[in-house]
Amino acid sequence: SVAWLLLTASMNLLYFILGIVGYKQQDPEVVGVALIYIFFCSLLLFLGLTIVVWSKMKRIFREIMHREELWQPTSEGDKKTEEEESLAKVQTSLFWGGSPKIVIAALQFMQFGYALFLSVVIIFWNTIADGGVGMEWYLFGIIICYSLFVAVASNVIPRYTLCTSLAQLVDRRRLNETVANYHLEEAKRQKAHEMYMHAYNEDHKVEPTTVPTPPKTDSTAGTAPTVIAVPTS
């Protein structure tokens, strides 16, 4: 995916730059200190990016729900008119770069990043322990930042789904299939219910029986006798 490629490119670029720094300085300790700063700064960067994504999706959802032109009645059929296509572009323009996929790419990038940070801490546990920073701070930073990321992602993903499935971005083909499937299931359920009632009436010899109605009053005037089915003796 795009997120994995971006993360791989970032790590390769970081490795290349630190390799040049280590070659010029001829001091491994400088590279170690730089990596410590990069580690914690990356956590803070991911935390800030998480808040930005959450704020952006909240703003987009509010914008879609309050813009009346995005909720104009659509024509029937799978194909959209030119006006509907333009409105769909207006809705997608609310996202970064006019592409909703960027939001998912950002979330995946951060998720892969946290997984990479945790794997580095576990693999190089003994080596990092000599860096002057307690190992508990590495784990504490990852746990806190990733917990906040999960909490925000659980709020962002439902909003993203709604923002890409409401108003002018509704997938009509799937919507029509869903509606048709619903009516089909309702027809099957109704048919099964009718067959069950018919079999029940046959087994219990149920016959229509007229139940006497109360005297007519102003409120019951014109009411027809009630006919129900009761088992015969």
Side-chain angles (χ1 to χ4, degrees):
S1 64
V2 177
W4 182 250
L5 292 176
L6 289 175
L7 184 63
T8 304
S10 300
M11 292 300 100
N12 288 332
L13 180 61
L14 177 62
Y15 182 78
F16 176 74
I17 294 175
L18 290 179
I20 294 177
V21 172
Y23 176 78
K24 291 293 184 180
Q25 296 294 328
Q26 296 296 323
D27 187 2
E29 187 173 344
V30 175
V31 177
V33 173
L35 286 174
I36 293 175
Y37 280 103
I38 291 173
F39 180 87
F40 288 103
C41 288
S42 298
L43 291 180
L44 293 176
L45 179 63
F46 280 7
L47 185 60
L49 182 58
T50 301
I51 296 174
V52 170
V53 171
W54 172 77
S55 177
K56 180 66 174 179
M57 287 307 307
K58 186 177 180 180
R59 192 180 308 113
I60 292 174
F61 182 75
R62 188 187 304 114
E63 186 76 13
I64 292 175
M65 297 304 294
H66 287 84
R67 295 186 66 168
E68 297 182 358
E69 66 270 18
L70 296 178
W71 295 92
Q72 293 181 3
T74 57
S75 59
E76 297 183 359
D78 296 339
K79 294 184 178 180
K80 295 183 178 181
T81 62
E82 293 183 0
E83 181 181 1
E84 291 168 350
E85 288 288 350
S86 62
L87 289 175
K89 291 180 180 180
V90 170
Q91 186 170 340
T92 54
S93 66
L94 298 175
F95 294 87
W96 287 312
S99 176
K101 295 181 180 179
I102 295 180
V103 175
I104 298 300
L107 294 177
Q108 291 178 341
F109 178 79
M110 290 185 286
Q111 188 174 14
F112 291 149
Y114 284 121
L116 179 63
F117 292 155
L118 183 60
S119 63
V120 168
V121 171
I122 294 175
I123 293 173
F124 299 100
W125 182 276
N126 295 328
T127 304
I128 297 177
D130 297 332
V133 179
M135 294 304 300
E136 64 275 5
W137 290 106
Y138 292 95
L139 295 178
F140 182 75
I142 294 175
I143 292 173
I144 293 298
C145 292
Y146 187 70
S147 299
L148 293 174
F149 167 77
V150 171
V152 172
S154 63
N155 184 271
V156 168
I157 293 177
R159 289 180 184 270
Y160 172 84
T161 303
L162 290 174
C163 292
T164 55
S165 304
L166 289 174
Q168 300 298 325
L169 296 183
V170 174
D171 190 332
R172 295 188 180 180
R173 183 179 62 82
R174 292 186 179 180
L175 178 61
N176 292 334
E177 290 177 355
T178 303
V179 173
N181 185 64
Y182 168 77
H183 288 300
L184 178 61
E185 293 298 327
E186 278 294 305
K188 290 181 179 178
R189 187 190 64 80
Q190 183 66 24
K191 184 64 175 179
H193 178 71
E194 292 176 356
M195 293 175 63
Y196 169 79
M197 293 302 300
H198 178 73
Y200 179 86
N201 294 340
E202 289 291 333
D203 293 341
H204 295 79
K205 297 181 180 180
V206 177
E207 297 178 357
T209 303
T210 302
V211 178
T213 57
K216 294 181 180 181
T217 61
D218 293 340
S219 60
T220 60
T223 303
T226 303
V227 179
I228 63 174
V230 296
T232 59
S233 58

